[in-house]
Amino acid sequence: MIFVRGDVRSVGVVTDQLQKFGLASGLYANPEKSNIYFGGVSKEVQEDILRVTQFVPSSFPFRYLGVPLNAGRLNKDHFGALISKVHAALFNWSAHFLSYAGKIQLLNSVVFGLENFWCSTLLIPKGVSSLWNQWLLTYAFKYGSVWRMRIKGCFAESLRSIIHVRDELLQITGGEMSAKQVLASSFVNGKFSTVRVYNLFRKSFPEVNWVPVIWGKGIVPKHSFRLSLAMETKLLTIDRLRMCGMILTNRCYLCKRDAEGHRHLFFKCSYATELWRRGLRWMAIRDRSNDLWAEVAWVRRRNKRRHWKACWFRCCLATTVYSIWDERNARAFKGVERTVDSLFRHVQFIVCVQILHCFPSNSSILDRLNVYSDPVHLAPGDNSIIQLIPVVFEGKGFIHWSRNVKLALSSKNKLGFITGKCKAPVETDSKYQD
């Protein structure tokens, strides 16, 4: 499953990547077996996207690994396959002479295995889960109250997990009466609040003031996570590994001179310093202290507004930290090196995609970023072997074919080369190459 923004340009980028993957692996997306789902997209845009992809439109719910997926809440009718499988298994077993132990084994391994798989994936409606509830009342709770029940061999894994959570709750609260009081206090306006119970189980730690900076709008989640590890000095740098007893040469993989540590990588290292300085110049910010924690403190004090420039700085900082650690690991474990210029172009590409995704209505951002507004610019996925559209022109249907080609070129901001709007640069221009 691939999720993409509902416009022709974004779909064109994904289609190009699928074509590139097909050229590399020989595995192409079959338009007849591929479906596309729209949400909040106008009819005109849907028609343009269908012309580019040639996929078949479909609607929710659809099945993935046998489980129904829907944009809204699933009702009892969507679980007809589960109910049919359980009923078919029960009716099939009724024709066999089975012992009591055999029936229990079949129930645990087949029927409740099916329901446990669906319950672990989806929120089962009350009408569908009645079979499991009846089994609990008939077999499980006949041994006593849920507060005194012990694990039996016929219990499913989901029921065993409930009992383990109950034991942990009794240990935290100190007894059955205290646990009941805690659960009773977890109801807010007649509804059970899982947040209160979760806060009871989780450990409390002191809050840090840089959380809104690294987990703000527009930052890729994995970039935020790695930035948080760097802020807490929990990345497995060489100095930390040596403290654990591992014998390693304490030399930075990036600059190959100084000892590697969090303070050195972010941003005392000459390689990391140059990468971050290019990012600052790109954002028109004067060079600051080469220290990650000072940069985070600065953006926390100065950029409190939800403006695209504040998002630009936070996203660039998180992406730079992520790329530095990624480059460090590539050199340490794969022996692959990239120059500062190559890595910075990669950072620019990711940041621009995130900013344009968060602020699509602001048309001036692309010009202010001053990277991808130039038609001469080549994105990482642009090369001579990319197929623009899946349909090859064979002498018929020129109008339909030319429309698809224009849409594909427009999505890459390259239509001006066909219409003549983009003029060739003179030989003395810095953009001119043979």
Side-chain angles (χ1 to χ4, degrees):
M1 292 185 295
I2 301 177
F3 295 89
V4 64
R5 184 177 177 83
D7 57 70
V8 178
R9 171 174 289 189
S10 301
V11 174
V13 172
V14 174
T15 304
D16 291 343
Q17 296 302 318
L18 291 176
Q19 291 293 329
K20 182 179 179 181
F21 175 79
L23 292 172
S25 63
L27 302 175
Y28 292 91
N30 189 343
E32 297 180 357
K33 297 182 179 180
S34 302
N35 294 327
I36 186 169
Y37 300 86
F38 295 100
V41 182
S42 62
K43 291 292 184 180
E44 293 77 9
V45 178
Q46 289 186 23
E47 294 176 357
D48 293 338
I49 292 176
L50 291 176
R51 293 190 187 96
V52 174
T53 61
Q54 303 295 322
F55 290 164
V56 179
S58 186
S59 60
F60 289 97
F62 66 94
R63 295 189 178 279
Y64 180 72
L65 298 178
V67 179
L69 300 180
N70 191 27
R73 182 183 293 273
L74 295 172
N75 53 40
K76 184 179 179 180
D77 296 335
H78 295 141
F79 291 86
L82 172 63
I83 299 175
S84 300
K85 287 183 179 180
V86 174
H87 286 174
L90 293 177
F91 286 124
N92 186 26
W93 297 338
S94 63
H96 299 277
F97 296 99
L98 299 174
S99 62
Y100 178 79
K103 295 178 181 178
I104 293 296
Q105 183 63 29
L106 287 174
L107 285 174
N108 287 332
S109 60
V110 180
V111 175
F112 296 110
L114 285 172
E115 190 156 358
N116 286 336
F117 172 71
W118 286 56
C119 289
S120 62
T121 309
L122 302 170
L123 183 63
I124 306 296
K126 183 178 180 181
V128 180
S129 60
S130 58
L131 178 63
W132 189 63
N133 296 333
Q134 291 177 8
W135 181 84
L136 287 177
L137 295 175
T138 305
Y139 295 99
F141 292 136
K142 74 176 183 180
Y143 299 106
S145 171
V146 66
W147 298 104
R148 301 178 182 85
M149 185 171 54
R150 295 290 178 259
I151 296 178
K152 302 294 181 180
C154 60
F155 286 2
E157 185 62 30
S158 57
L159 185 57
R160 294 171 183 263
S161 301
I162 293 175
I163 297 177
H164 288 312
V165 173
R166 178 210 60 188
D167 295 339
E168 187 175 353
L169 178 62
L170 291 174
Q171 183 179 1
I172 293 175
T173 57
E176 178 180 341
M177 296 301 297
S178 300
K180 289 181 179 179
Q181 293 177 359
V182 170
L183 294 178
S185 62
S186 300
F187 285 87
V188 179
N189 297 327
K191 295 183 179 181
F192 184 75
S193 175
T194 57
V195 176
R196 294 192 177 187
V197 180
Y198 173 75
N199 292 330
L200 177 66
F201 282 94
R202 68 186 292 267
K203 296 180 180 179
S204 59
F205 296 94
E207 296 184 359
V208 292
N209 53 16
W210 41 261
V211 170
V213 176
I214 67 174
W215 292 101
K217 179 181 179 181
I219 305 178
V220 180
K222 64 179 181 180
H223 295 181
S224 297
F225 178 71
R226 185 167 293 179
L227 178 56
S228 66
L229 293 179
M231 291 293 297
E232 297 175 350
T233 63
K234 290 184 178 180
L235 294 174
L236 294 180
T237 54
I238 294 181
D239 59 344
R240 291 199 65 194
L241 295 176
R242 288 170 63 90
M243 293 175 60
C244 297
M246 300 182 66
I247 302 176
L248 297 170
T249 302
N250 194 6
R251 180 176 295 179
C252 176
Y253 287 100
L254 299 179
C255 65
K256 299 180 175 60
R257 292 194 304 270
D258 301 326
E260 181 185 278
H262 286 82
R263 294 285 179 179
H264 173 74
L265 284 177
F266 313 109
F267 301 102
K268 301 296 182 182
C269 173
S270 58
Y271 183 95
T273 300
E274 178 61 24
L275 180 64
W276 179 234
R277 284 180 177 175
R278 292 195 181 192
L280 292 175
R281 289 195 293 269
W282 177 41
M283 296 180 289
I285 299 176
R286 62 181 180 84
D287 291 349
R288 300 179 46 78
S289 61
N290 299 333
D291 184 76
L292 172 62
W293 294 262
E295 297 290 358
V296 172
W298 179 81
V299 71
R300 180 176 58 85
R301 294 191 304 267
R302 299 287 298 273
N303 296 283
K304 297 182 180 180
R305 300 174 300 170
R306 292 188 176 182
H307 193 264
W308 73 269
K309 289 186 177 180
C311 181
W312 185 12
F313 186 90
R314 293 195 302 266
C315 185
C316 186
L317 177 62
T319 307
T320 302
V321 171
Y322 180 89
S323 300
I324 289 174
W325 185 249
D326 196 45
E327 175 67 18
R328 181 263 185 196
N329 289 338
R331 297 189 178 196
F333 302 110
K334 299 180 181 179
V336 179
E337 297 185 5
R338 285 187 293 183
T339 62
V340 176
D341 185 62
S342 175
L343 188 59
F344 178 65
R345 288 199 301 269
H346 177 70
V347 171
Q348 278 186 315
F349 175 75
I350 296 177
V351 172
C352 287
V353 170
Q354 290 300 117
I355 298 300
L356 294 176
H357 175 73
C358 294
F359 301 92
S361 59
N362 194 335
S363 59
S364 63
I365 292 181
L366 193 62
D367 297 331
R368 296 291 299 275
L369 292 177
N370 194 24
V371 179
Y372 301 107
S373 58
D374 194 341
V376 182
H377 174 79
L378 292 178
D382 293 335
N383 55 70
S384 59
I385 63 175
I386 288 296
Q387 185 176 351
L388 289 177
I389 59 175
V391 180
V392 180
F393 179 64
E394 297 179 346
K396 296 181 180 180
F398 174 77
I399 297 178
H400 177 71
W401 175 84
S402 63
R403 178 180 174 85
N404 291 337
V405 172
K406 290 179 180 179
L407 287 174
L409 292 174
S410 177
S411 66
K412 292 179 170 293
N413 199 21
K414 300 293 187 295
L415 187 60
F417 293 104
I418 304 298
T419 61
K421 183 178 180 180
C422 297
K423 304 296 183 181
V426 296
E427 296 185 1
T428 57
D429 195 332
S430 60
K431 298 178 182 179
Y432 181 84
Q433 293 183 1
D434 294 333

